[in-house]
């Protein structure tokens, strides 16, 4: 399983949409032709499938600035995510039919007296990092 994005969530990520690095865009489903958005499915650690949309500026623009829009806010609310929590997106190897499966995991921030102390590890990580 290849890691696409690991991100600590900020206010905009929680309240509106999640920005993703442009360099990661090629790991998500391809935007077709002149389209500047694509919908795709992601499975969480509980096995639930979430439907997200990646949206970019029009392809004629040099800086596309990809964001997750549709489905993202529902995911944030259902998972009770907050600022400083982390999410990671992974891409499983292509299946026999050529399809790719995407996964998402969540790390809740461990807060002590309002300060972020550490995060629970992502699956497969050995230890917590002190922030």
């Amino acid at each position: 399983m290849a890691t696409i994005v690991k991100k600590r969530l900020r206010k905009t990520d929680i309240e509106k949409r999640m920005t993703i690095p442009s360099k990661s865009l090629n790991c998500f489903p391809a935007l077709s032709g002149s389209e500047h958005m694509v919908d795709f499915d992601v499975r969480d650690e509980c096995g639930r499938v979430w439907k997200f949309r990646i949206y970019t500026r029009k392809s004629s623009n040099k800086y596309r600035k990809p964001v997750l829009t549709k489905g993202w806010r529902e995911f944030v609310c259902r998972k009770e995510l907050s600022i400083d929590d982390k999410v990671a997106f992974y891409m499983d190897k292509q299946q026999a039919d050529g399809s790719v499966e995407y996964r998402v995991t969540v790390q809740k921030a461990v807060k002590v007296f309002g300060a972020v102390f550490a995060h629970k590890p992502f699956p497969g990580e050995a230890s917590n990092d002190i922030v």
Side-chain angles (χ1 to χ4, degrees):
M1 192 162 40
T3 303
I4 301 172
V5 175
K6 284 186 179 179
K7 183 174 184 182
R8 181 181 302 202
L9 300 177
R10 301 289 178 226
K11 184 176 180 179
T12 299
D13 298 318
I14 297 298
E15 294 177 355
K16 297 181 182 184
R17 63 196 164 274
M18 186 180 111
T19 59
I20 56 175
S22 295
K23 65 183 179 183
S24 301
L25 187 57
N26 63 343
C27 296
F28 287 101
L31 303 172
S32 60
S34 63
E35 293 295 317
H36 57 100
M37 67 182 94
V38 64
D39 294 341
F40 67 107
D41 294 340
V42 180
R43 187 174 307 276
D44 69 13
E45 58 272 5
C46 298
R48 179 175 174 180
V49 175
W50 299 87
K51 295 188 180 296
F52 292 128
R53 174 174 289 158
I54 290 182
Y55 174 88
T56 66
R57 292 179 178 171
K58 303 236 178 189
S59 59
S60 61
N61 191 315
K62 183 177 177 181
Y63 303 103
R64 299 180 80 182
K65 294 198 174 195
V67 294
L68 289 180
T69 57
K70 180 181 175 185
W72 175 249
R73 284 285 303 139
E74 179 186 0
F75 181 79
V76 167
C77 292
R78 293 280 176 103
K79 295 287 186 178
E80 298 179 353
L81 298 179
S82 58
I83 295 170
D84 290 323
D85 289 345
K86 291 182 181 180
V87 295
F89 284 85
Y90 303 92
M91 179 175 62
D92 276 353
K93 293 180 180 178
Q94 288 192 343
Q95 309 301 316
D97 64 358
S99 65
V100 175
E101 188 168 292
Y102 295 93
R103 298 195 184 275
V104 63
T105 59
V106 171
Q107 270 186 332
K108 298 294 283 179
V110 177
K111 297 181 181 182
V112 179
F113 301 113
V116 176
F117 179 70
H119 289 85
K120 295 178 183 176
F122 284 118
E125 285 186 345
S127 64
N128 290 343
D129 294 329
I130 296 176
V131 178

